[in-house]
């Protein structure tokens, strides 16, 4: 039993975090004349040569042959920095194409020759990460399918700077993969990014609480503030551990994989949302502006939880699962 | 990462399971004075079976098990409904380990076997009327007089003080000293003249803790564990001793308890309703959310243990675990109470056991450092925030 990143995994996660810190610093988003869609494309062009879209794909199609735990660790780091959703869409599209036996197409998603936008049954007709996309990945309750992207309009920016989006119309399905496995993988990659968002909310608050002074003391010395941040830390750690558990359960085909994965997604959505709200509160007025990352943590959370299905739906599915294997 | 056990650990689990199946007493732990005999019988059973001192090193008569095997032990015990340490808790989990780390050879020789064999009950005399969360403000006084220390003052909330043979007693031996300095950790024989124990009844109905008064109680200096004036060091020496395995039993208990509650919800209506509680959206979703939280509690437990097994030093994760566990336990019990409503009013119903554990969990969130104090520790030691005090 080992439910923590090993040395190699920690090294990779740190390297990814460092790259994102220098290539995708939050303060770039505060520029008044920032072109969000161009920025999204720039980060996609960074992610593709890094191999991030093929982290858990086999080497035969240009992947890095990591497993689901490697992939989750990567997406936690991507979530922390609000990285483009095209990475999620592309990585999943590669898994889907591979599962359907189309190795060439799978490889194309990893090299960036094909690029995927994403839509889910929660909101058919509206796709995300559409800027520069060639294909559309459709996630339904028990099926993932891939078609060519037929955009019904120009790319615009959803929820401020959270993602490019466009209306899409249906097109002929190129391939489809039935069954829960890939859909649960999608759930877990979303949960991982939500964990990253919760982590950033906690860290932003923690730094600010040390630096900002009122009444002649750092606000982090006031218990109302410290205790809120302690709770943010607990949420981030709960979800982190649950994602590891779920990733192993899903990778190994454990009988409780669905329960574990949906639990991770439910808790991750709640943690990201709570931490985003509290982080704004912890920053006072600056937290309510677009000159602080707080609003984007919230908006990306709303986008991801919306795509993944509502909390009540998740709870009903968890209720329908058999108890965890003890 | 993986969730598989090594063949050796799996065989160990089998062995634990088999042994427990043949030895766990069928009857529940009695309350009141009979509890002591029950706990002692179980401790002797463990000793005879070669299971005493699960987390103690072999050279002191313990089992010297790996962290993973300790965790497996606690998991299987909880699943089998095996008794907990009960009145032997302080002796097994705190006093023994403290003596192992800080005690003299004579102290070890005198007490360790007795603790393992269920002969010695210990209690912990730390808290005072004026010193709870702020333990370092304690004032019970010890004056060195030749080869004795003369103790005067009062302790409170001392669990099982009336049953205990010995007490780990924390006193102030340097007059005028403040906070963590000038304290001494001493072994106090509870039969020493000058000690009076006044039991206090909890809201659970049990008088399991007490006020302890000391009127010029003379204790040999040779009973000091560690150095005179260095009692804080001794008190902190065993903080990380179990490195998180202790949370395992509580976690498994809560998982089993929630599944029991889910079965209850499928079989019984909400107060004033006719369909099973499970068909009520709010009730079912509350229970589903708790299921998810319990999954995370278990994952955190495994995750912490993996890090310790990999050589990481135990830090303040214990505070995160205690905060989470206490809160989750309270939410589960509260969900039960809400679901059972007026059925709790009849003293003869099975539902009474839920009321008892609801009370117990409220009490638990105070002992061992309140949830507020756990948040303080997280803020200080995990987050590195400027101190509030
Ligand atoms: C069931 C049970 C068994 C116990 N067994 C033992 C035992 O065997 N031996 C022993 O020595 N002690 C024992 N205790 C005592 C226990 O350790 C103390 O009750 C606990 O540390 C709290 O101290 P207090 O009761 O004095 O509360 P106080 O410290 O007075 O706290 C009162 C309230 O103030 C809050 N508070 C206090 N300080 C702060 C702060 N800095 N920041 C924010 N909030 C704060 C607390 O959270 C609490 O809500 C036991 C207690 C219980 C309930």
């Amino acid at each position: 039993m080992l439910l923590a990143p090993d040395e190699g995994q920690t090294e990779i996660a740190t390297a990814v975090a460092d790259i994102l810190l220098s290539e995708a610093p939050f303060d770039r988003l505060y520029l008044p004349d920032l072109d969000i869609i161009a920025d999204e494309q720039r980060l996609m062009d960074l992610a593709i040569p890094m191999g991030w879209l093929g982290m858990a794909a086999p080497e035969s199609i240009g992947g890095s042959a990591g497993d689901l735990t490697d992939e989750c660790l990567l997406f936690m780091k991507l979530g922390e920095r609000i990285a483009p959703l095209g990475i999620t869409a592309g990585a999943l599209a590669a898994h889907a194409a591979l599962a359907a036996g189309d190795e060439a197409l799978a490889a194309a998603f990893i090299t960036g020759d094909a690029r995927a936008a994403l839509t889910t049954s929660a909101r058919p007709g509206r796709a995300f990460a559409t800027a520069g996309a060639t294909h559309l990945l459709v996630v339904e309750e028990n099926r993932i399918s891939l078609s060519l992207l037929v955009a019904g309009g120009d790319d615009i920016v959803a929820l401020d700077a959270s993602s490019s989006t466009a209306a899409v119309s249906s097109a002929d399905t190129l391939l489809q993969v039935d069954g829960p496995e890939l859909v649960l993988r999608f759930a877990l990659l979303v949960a991982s990014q939500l964990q990253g968002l919760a982590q950033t909310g906690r860290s932003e608050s923690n730094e600010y609480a040390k630096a900002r002074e009122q009444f002649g003391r750092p606000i982090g010395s006031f218990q109302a503030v410290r205790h809120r941040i302690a709770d943010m830390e607990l949420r981030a750690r709960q979800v982190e551990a649950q994602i590891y558990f779920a990733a192993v359960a899903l990778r190994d085909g454990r009988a409780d994989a669905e329960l574990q994965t949906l639990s991770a997604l439910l808790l991750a959505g709640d943690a990201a949302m709570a931490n985003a709200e509290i982080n704004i509160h912890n920053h006072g007025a600056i937290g309510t502006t677009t000159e602080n990352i707080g609003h984007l943590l919230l908006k990306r959370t709303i986008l991801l939880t919306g795509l993944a299905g509502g909390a009540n739906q998740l709870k009903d599915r968890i209720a329908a699962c058999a108890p965890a294997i003890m | 990462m993986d969730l598989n056990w090594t063949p050796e650990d799996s065989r160990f689990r089998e062995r634990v399971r088999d042994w427990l199946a043949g030895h766990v007493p069928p009857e529940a732990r009695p309350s009141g004075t009979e509890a002591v005999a029950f706990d002692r019988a179980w401790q002797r059973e463990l000793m005879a079976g070669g299971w005493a001192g699960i987390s103690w090193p072999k050279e002191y008569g313990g089992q010297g098990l790996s962290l993973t095997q300790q965790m497996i032990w606690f998991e299987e015990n909880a699943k089998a409904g095996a008794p907990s340490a009960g009145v032997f808790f302080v002796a097994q989990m705190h006093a023994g380990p403290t003596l192992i780390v800080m005690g003299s050879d004579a102290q070890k020789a005198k007490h360790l076997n007795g603790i393992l064999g269920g002969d010695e009950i210990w209690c912990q005399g730390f808290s005072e009327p004026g010193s709870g969360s702020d333990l370092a403000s304690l004032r019970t006084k010890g004056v060195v007089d030749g080869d004795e220390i003369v103790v005067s003052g009062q302790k409170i909330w001392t669990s099982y003080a009336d049953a205990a043979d010995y007490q780990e007693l924390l006193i102030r031996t340097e007059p005028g000293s403040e906070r963590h300095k000038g304290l001494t950790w001493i072994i106090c024989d509870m039969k020493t003249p000058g000690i009076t124990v006044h039991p206090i009844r909890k809201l659970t109905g049990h008088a399991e803790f007490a006020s302890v008064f000391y009127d010029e109680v003379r204790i040999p200096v040779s009973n000091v564990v560690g150095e005179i004036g260095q009692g804080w060091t001794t008190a902190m020496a065993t903080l990380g001793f179990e490195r998180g395995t202790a949370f395992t039993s509580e976690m498994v208990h809560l998982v089993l308890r929630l599944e029991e509650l889910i079965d209850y919800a499928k079989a019984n209506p909400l107060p004033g309703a006719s369909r099973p509680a499970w068909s009520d959206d709010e009730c079912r979703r509350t229970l589903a959310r708790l299921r998810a939280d319990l999954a995370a509690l278990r994952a955190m437990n495994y995750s912490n243990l993996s890090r310790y097994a990999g050589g990481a030093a135990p830090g303040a994760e214990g505070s995160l675990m205690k905060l989470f566990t206490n809160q989750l336990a309270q939410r589960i019990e509260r969900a039960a109470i809400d679901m059972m409503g007026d059925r709790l009013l009849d003293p003869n119903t099975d539902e009474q056991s839920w009321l008892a554990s609801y009370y117990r969990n409220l009490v638990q969130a105070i002992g061992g450092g309140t949830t507020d104090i756990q948040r303080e520790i997280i803020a200080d030691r995990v987050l590195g925030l400027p101190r509030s005090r």
Side-chain angles (χ1 to χ4, degrees):
Chain A
M1 193 278 292
L2 175 69
L3 208 62
D6 61 29
E7 234 170 88
Q9 289 182 315
T10 307
E11 248 168 58
I12 292 172
T14 311
V16 169
D18 288 347
I19 293 165
L20 287 169
L21 191 62
S22 65
E23 296 297 324
F26 288 150
D27 52 11
R28 80 187 195 282
L29 298 169
Y30 311 150
L31 300 175
D33 56 353
L34 174 76
D35 178 348
I36 292 290
I37 289 178
D39 191 60
E40 196 175 284
Q41 303 242 47
R42 181 179 68 83
L43 292 176
M44 284 303 293
D45 290 340
L46 171 78
I48 289 163
M50 286 292 162
W52 291 346
L53 284 82
M55 174 61 100
E59 281 167 355
S60 58
I61 57 163
S64 312
D67 73 2
L68 189 48
T69 65
D70 297 310
E71 200 172 25
C72 287
L73 284 164
L74 171 68
F75 278 86
M76 286 177 179
K77 291 298 162 198
L78 294 171
E80 280 181 26
R81 291 270 137 197
I82 323 185
L85 277 183
I87 304 175
T88 318
L92 268 163
H95 287 306
L98 189 65
D102 191 339
E103 292 203 356
L105 185 56
F109 283 112
I110 294 170
T111 56
D113 295 325
R115 299 208 185 179
L118 176 71
T119 187
T120 71
S121 49
R123 197 87 200 148
R126 162 101 7 230
F128 296 86
T130 46
T134 53
H135 290 71
L136 180 65
L137 186 81
V138 185
V139 183
E140 293 167 273
E141 198 165 320
N142 211 29
R143 167 188 305 152
I144 281 192
S145 56
L146 204 55
S147 58
L148 291 172
L149 181 72
V150 183
D154 287 340
D155 294 327
I156 51 171
V157 177
L159 293 164
D160 281 359
S162 192
S163 174
S164 58
T165 181
V168 287
S169 27
S170 56
D172 289 344
T173 299
L174 294 176
L175 56 87
Q176 76 180 46
V177 182
D178 292 309
E181 205 184 310
L182 213 48
V183 179
L184 289 176
R185 186 172 203 122
F186 166 74
L188 205 52
L189 296 188
V190 170
S192 299
Q193 291 169 78
L194 288 164
Q195 193 280 339
L197 290 161
Q199 177 67 29
T200 298
R202 164 251 187 247
S203 299
E204 290 285 305
S205 280
N206 203 35
E207 288 317 305
Y208 194 66
K210 290 176 189 172
R212 171 73 177 168
E213 294 195 1
Q214 283 295 282
F215 300 96
R217 298 157 56 181
I219 57 167
S221 68
F222 300 122
Q223 288 196 334
V225 177
R226 324 163 29 87
H227 289 196
R228 283 202 293 268
I229 305 175
D231 286 339
M232 295 169 106
E233 164 72 6
L234 178 54
R235 283 187 212 102
R237 297 288 74 76
Q238 289 165 344
V239 176
E240 182 194 354
Q242 182 57 27
I243 285 170
Y244 297 155
F245 201 113
V248 175
L250 193 55
R251 181 198 67 195
D252 295 354
R254 268 172 64 117
D256 58 359
E258 183 181 2
L259 170 67
Q260 300 296 350
T261 304
L262 298 177
S263 295
L265 182 56
L266 176 67
L267 298 179
D270 191 60
M273 200 72 184
N275 283 13
E277 288 171 351
I278 295 166
N279 177 57
I280 289 173
H281 186 71
N282 287 339
H283 279 76
I286 188 72
T288 68
T289 70
T290 54
E291 291 168 33
N292 177 276
I293 200 63
H295 76 112
L296 284 184
L297 298 176
L298 182 66
K299 288 166 184 171
R300 176 55 72 85
T301 298
I302 291 170
L303 177 55
L304 287 177
T305 50
L307 280 171
N312 281 343
Q313 207 181 331
L314 286 174
K315 286 176 190 167
D316 285 343
R317 291 177 63 195
I318 291 170
C321 288
I325 314 167
M326 285 304 285
Chain B
M1 296 188 219
D2 81 271
L3 287 165
N4 298 321
W5 310 94
T6 62
E8 195 192 336
D9 288 341
S10 298
R11 276 194 301 275
F12 175 78
R13 191 185 284 279
E14 285 299 312
R15 199 155 69 79
V16 172
R17 213 177 268 174
D18 287 349
W19 186 84
L20 288 169
H23 291 83
V24 171
E27 70 274 16
R29 182 180 189 251
S31 57
T33 45
E34 287 163 50
V36 174
F38 179 88
D39 294 345
R40 177 162 298 165
W42 179 242
Q43 184 56 35
R44 296 204 165 137
E45 196 79 73
L46 291 175
M47 184 73 178
W51 299 109
I54 279 302
S55 48
W56 290 27
K58 272 205 167 88
E59 53 175 316
Y60 297 109
Q63 306 306 318
L65 296 179
S66 69
L67 273 183
T68 308
Q69 293 193 348
Q70 291 177 43
M71 197 195 75
I72 290 172
W73 166 261
F74 285 117
E75 277 193 348
E76 291 304 322
N77 270 257
K79 281 199 261 178
S84 63
V87 299
F88 290 94
F89 180 82
V90 171
Q92 298 284 330
M93 305 297 184
H94 201 263
T98 302
L99 293 181
I100 288 172
V101 179
M102 303 289 293
S104 67
D105 289 343
Q107 289 163 348
K108 288 176 189 166
K110 178 162 181 205
H111 296 288
L112 292 182
N113 280 338
I115 289 175
L116 283 181
D119 299 324
E120 288 189 10
I121 299 172
W122 283 62
C123 61
Q124 182 179 61
F126 285 11
S127 303
E128 296 181 7
S131 307
S133 301
D134 186 13
L135 178 61
S137 70
L138 67 87
R139 288 199 305 242
T140 294
K141 185 176 67 169
V143 178
V144 182
D145 179 19
D147 56 3
E148 289 179 328
I149 295 183
V150 185
V151 177
S152 302
Q154 184 193 348
K155 296 287 174 181
I156 195 168
W157 319 127
T158 316
S159 298
Y160 301 119
D162 52 350
D165 302 297
Y166 295 95
Q167 179 176 48
E168 23 175 77
L169 181 58
L170 197 57
I171 50 178
R172 192 167 293 285
T173 42
E174 267 172 40
S177 65
E178 284 193 19
R179 315 288 312 154
H180 313 85
K181 300 192 187 93
L183 303 177
T184 296
W185 198 110
I186 195 167
I187 303 169
C188 170
D189 185 330
M190 291 299 280
K191 288 183 291 295
T192 319
I195 296 178
T196 319
V197 176
H198 284 209
I200 306 170
R201 195 168 295 281
K202 292 182 203 172
L203 63 79
T204 57
H206 303 296
E208 286 163 336
F209 54 26
S211 275
V212 184
F213 297 89
Y214 308 80
D215 181 13
E216 309 221 328
V217 175
R218 304 187 81 86
I219 305 175
V221 168
S222 58
N223 280 13
V224 171
V225 177
E227 307 278 318
I228 292 184
Q230 301 292 318
W232 192 260
T233 309
T234 306
M236 297 297 125
T238 50
L239 269 189
F241 187 76
E242 295 160 81
R243 289 171 294 175
T245 53
F247 292 106
T248 306
S249 346
E250 184 63 9
M251 177 270 286
V252 175
H253 278 303
L254 290 176
V255 170
L256 299 177
R257 197 83 176 137
L258 180 72
E259 293 305 329
E260 205 183 308
L261 190 59
I262 287 174
D263 290 341
Y264 181 92
K266 288 177 176 170
N268 295 280
L270 290 171
S274 52
R275 291 191 311 153
W278 192 243
S279 62
D280 177 84
D281 284 349
E282 193 182 333
C283 176
R284 184 183 60 254
R285 288 170 183 163
T286 299
L287 296 173
R289 167 70 204 227
L290 289 167
R291 232 186 201 175
D293 280 307
L294 277 170
L297 182 69
R298 179 186 188 194
M300 260 177 95
N301 187 285
Y302 282 17
S303 201
N304 287 338
L305 224 71
S306 300
R307 291 193 166 101
Y308 305 150
E317 306 82 18
S319 289
L320 285 162
M321 288 299 288
K322 182 165 192 301
L323 181 58
F324 190 16
T325 306
N326 283 157
Q327 288 182 335
L328 198 44
Q330 284 189 28
R331 282 167 52 210
I332 293 169
E333 305 297 343
R334 176 62 197 277
I337 298 302
D338 287 349
M339 201 187 299
M340 292 166 187
D342 59 288
R343 285 187 289 266
L344 299 166
L345 304 183
D346 183 343
N348 299 317
T349 55
D350 291 342
E351 282 84 352
Q352 290 302 313
S353 84
W354 287 91
L355 202 50
S357 55
Y358 169 70
Y359 291 149
R360 206 164 41 240
N361 279 302
L362 275 179
V363 172
Q364 220 109 66
I366 308 289
T370 69
T371 38
D372 298 324
I373 296 303
Q374 303 309 328
R375 286 195 180 88
E376 284 292 286
I377 297 172
I378 296 163
D380 287 344
R381 293 177 47 203
V382 181
L383 301 168
L385 285 169
R387 297 182 66 96
S388 66
R389 293 151 280 143

